Amino acid sequence: RYSPDNHKWHSLKGGILISAGATIQTGRDSTVSLRFGDGNPGMGSELELKGDTVLGIDRLSSEQANGPATFATELNLSDGQIICHVGKYAPGSHYEIKFPTGIAGVNGGGAAFKISSSGLIDVLEGQVVVAITSATAQPVVVSAGKRFDPASNSVMEIPKTPAYVAPPSEKSNPGQQPAQPGFARARS
């Protein structure tokens, strides 16, 4: 389900356009996939909300001046976990996810990672910068194959047991276009 204003809730169906300010909540045994209108097909970003997840879409914006468009995607993961596939962006763009004790971000280059509301992050591709909100913590860069543990504010190897979902290919959903800039499109 989703709420465009955190007051009235609606059923979430594939193809619905969701704008900034909305909140998405998944049930225990459900998942939701979002495709963001933040670039050309194959260059934008997609994410999958796992069961029992609450995600706020704080900001989705694009600007076109002289040169390539820049995009700002700001999400708020208050509960649960998501798997993110972030495409390459033009310089000046950013993609960030707030969680209760910090923030994680990707600037410019692409990345694939799993993040939980506890701040545990497994990076599969690219790099993610993480900052915990405690006064003594410094931002940490987490590279592919590494895990960020918020309890110790440290980086380690990803354990060999997790299973990950590969990003959906453009061919797996023929005719499904990315959302317009400033929106996310739900996929069924």
Side-chain angles (χ1 to χ4, degrees):
R1 68 184 190 153
Y2 79 101
S3 173
D5 57 9
N6 282 325
H7 296 294
K8 187 174 182 183
W9 290 89
H10 306 278
S11 294
L12 188 59
K13 297 177 182 145
I16 291 175
L17 290 178
I18 299 171
S19 61
T23 300
I24 300 168
Q25 182 180 42
T26 59
R28 177 176 298 187
D29 297 319
S30 64
T31 60
V32 170
S33 295
L34 298 176
R35 177 181 283 175
F36 291 90
D38 53 7
N40 298 320
M43 298 290 286
S45 59
E46 297 184 19
L47 61 87
E48 180 178 337
L49 286 72
K50 297 308 216 175
D52 289 328
T53 294
V54 178
L55 180 73
I57 301 176
D58 292 347
R59 181 176 176 202
L60 297 173
S61 65
S62 65
E63 292 184 23
Q64 176 96 37
N66 297 330
T70 59
F71 298 92
T73 302
E74 297 174 7
L75 308 172
N76 189 339
L77 179 62
S78 57
D79 199 14
Q81 68 176 242
I82 56 178
I83 297 175
C84 305
H85 301 278
V86 181
K88 292 186 178 181
Y89 290 121
S93 297
H94 74 275
Y95 184 100
E96 65 184 37
I97 301 170
K98 297 175 200 154
F99 51 93
T101 59
I103 189 166
V106 177
N107 289 320
F113 58 101
K114 180 171 87 172
I115 179 171
S116 71
S117 57
S118 70
L120 185 70
I121 301 171
D122 289 347
V123 179
L124 306 173
E125 296 175 9
Q127 291 184 332
V128 175
V129 178
V130 184
I132 300 299
T133 53
S134 73
T136 59
Q138 295 294 316
V140 175
V141 176
V142 186
S143 298
K146 303 291 184 180
R147 166 178 281 179
F148 175 76
D149 179 1
S152 62
N153 198 40
S154 63
V155 177
M156 61 197 71
E157 294 292 323
I158 296 175
K160 302 296 181 195
T161 55
Y164 293 96
V165 176
S169 71
E170 293 299 316
K171 295 177 185 175
S172 68
N173 241 341
Q176 178 72 39
Q177 298 298 317
Q180 301 166 359
F183 291 91
R185 182 179 303 277
R187 295 186 339 162
S188 53

